[in-house]
Amino acid sequence: MLPELLLGTDAGGFLIIRDSASYSGRHLLKSFINAALNREEYVHVLGFEGSEEELRDGLKGSPTQRLHFHNAFTDPLGWTDHPAFTVYQFNFEELTHLVKQTSHPKPAILIIDSLSWILRHVSPPAVCKTLQQLKKGGAVRAIIGLLHADMHQRGTVGSVCHLASSIITVAPGMKGDEAVAKITKRSKSGKVIQDEEIFNIKEDFTVTVQSKLSHIGPKQPDPEEKEMDPTANLTFNLRLSDTEREAKGKLALPFVFSKEKKTALLHSGPGSGRILYEPDANDDYDQEDPDDDLDV
């Protein structure tokens, strides 16, 4: 599935590369940039965590003439008089104007390096609103963002990832040049596809998948995903023992027709209009005249 994502994302797609301190996803991000340039795509990079020189030097051999770097690395907070791009320009209007400044025959791909830098200075609701508007605005064909998950609270990560059509969570592999990618892809119909692959990245930023971990053995269920027992940890018991279940089966339920009453109803004949009364165990029989209290 990883090579399929490298070949391109759907129009309006939003891909998140989710990494942590144990493994950086920047090389995989550069692999996506390299693959997009080789497909003759136009690529806009919001660079908060690296300079343009570093990016272009790493992409030697790639057709970088269609690469537009917006320098948010030198002065991301606008402390100088003429900042190139600041974090406060991360909104739909500014980004749409920025992308449309260069004439493209088709919508470009927007690379965000990284979402974590923006989330440190812009509120998560504002970031999510901008991302949602960019997905539907038409100025960019797709969005690819790098997110350092261990820098944020779980709710913040969940809110941003909820907007993504694809999420790649990277972690170190068993060998030094290998890594593990856990891929979650949501289709437009709502279907969720999950996969897990071992990959490595070559010097030219091409990605090679070594194997799929999902084929090695059955995936162990997450303890948090197990079905909860609603009767657990109660102060009373909702379950019946075998003896109690047997006694329940022998219990005569109220308002159930007896055999005599069923026969009378199904086979009408002489006396079928008589009233059938089944005495109850708690009936109180009074042998005296029941109407003696009416005598004057």
Side-chain angles (χ1 to χ4, degrees), residues 29-295:
L29 182 69
K30 290 183 178 181
S31 297
F32 276 92
I33 297 174
N34 180 66
L37 293 174
N38 289 330
R39 292 194 312 269
E40 299 184 355
E41 300 267 10
Y42 287 84
V43 179
H44 286 257
V45 178
L46 302 181
F48 287 92
E49 296 187 359
S51 65
E52 181 176 5
E53 293 75 15
E54 179 188 354
L55 178 64
R56 290 186 181 274
D57 184 64
L59 294 174
K60 284 183 177 179
S62 302
T64 57
Q65 66 272 14
R66 290 184 299 276
L67 175 65
H68 300 276
F69 186 88
H70 305 285
N71 183 13
F73 177 72
T74 304
D75 186 15
L77 298 178
W79 288 350
T80 62
D81 294 334
H82 303 286
F85 186 84
T86 70
V87 70
Y88 308 112
Q89 291 177 263
F90 188 79
N91 58 69
F92 177 70
E93 292 76 14
E94 290 278 358
L95 292 174
T96 300
H97 176 71
L98 194 70
V99 172
K100 289 185 176 181
Q101 280 182 340
T102 54
S103 58
H104 298 153
K106 56 184 179 180
I109 293 179
L110 179 64
I111 305 292
I112 305 175
D113 182 19
S114 68
L115 283 166
S116 291
W117 218 102
I118 299 172
L119 287 167
R120 290 176 61 188
H121 301 279
V122 182
S123 67
V127 174
C128 291
K129 178 182 177 181
T130 300
L131 292 171
Q132 185 68 11
Q133 290 175 327
L134 287 171
K135 286 174 58 179
K136 298 181 177 180
V140 296
R141 190 181 73 80
I143 307 168
I144 302 174
L146 182 63
L147 179 66
H148 310 312
D150 51 0
M151 288 181 58
H152 312 284
Q153 295 181 353
R154 184 178 300 179
T156 300
V157 174
S159 298
V160 177
C161 289
H162 182 73
L163 299 174
S165 53
S166 300
I167 303 170
I168 303 176
T169 303
V170 292
M174 299 298 294
K175 299 179 181 179
D177 59 342
E178 291 182 349
V180 179
K182 295 182 179 180
I183 305 166
T184 301
K185 186 175 182 180
R186 302 184 182 95
S187 63
K188 293 182 179 180
S189 62
K191 182 180 179 181
V192 178
I193 302 173
Q194 293 183 327
D195 207 349
E196 195 167 345
E197 299 175 350
I198 297 176
F199 71 97
N200 61 7
I201 302 175
K202 298 181 180 179
E203 292 183 0
D204 60 352
F205 290 105
T206 57
V207 175
T208 303
V209 175
Q210 304 294 336
S211 62
K212 294 188 177 182
L213 294 182
S214 56
H215 292 170
I216 296 176
K219 182 181 178 181
Q220 296 297 325
D222 190 338
E224 296 182 359
E225 296 177 356
K226 291 182 179 179
E227 184 178 356
M228 299 296 295
D229 184 3
T231 65
N233 302 321
L234 294 179
T235 57
F236 52 89
N237 185 21
L238 292 179
R239 302 187 184 278
L240 297 177
S241 65
D242 294 340
T243 305
E244 291 170 335
R245 193 175 292 106
E246 182 180 356
K248 178 183 176 183
K250 294 179 179 180
L251 181 65
L253 299 177
F255 310 111
V256 176
F257 287 163
S258 65
K259 184 177 181 180
E260 182 184 3
K261 187 179 291 187
K262 288 181 181 179
T263 303
L265 292 173
L266 295 176
H267 304 284
S268 60
S272 60
R274 73 182 187 277
I275 298 175
L276 298 176
Y277 174 73
E278 294 184 1
D280 189 82
N282 297 322
D283 283 350
D284 183 16
Y285 290 96
D286 190 356
Q287 299 299 331
E288 299 179 0
D289 183 0
D291 297 328
D292 60 355
D293 59 336
L294 300 178
D295 295 337

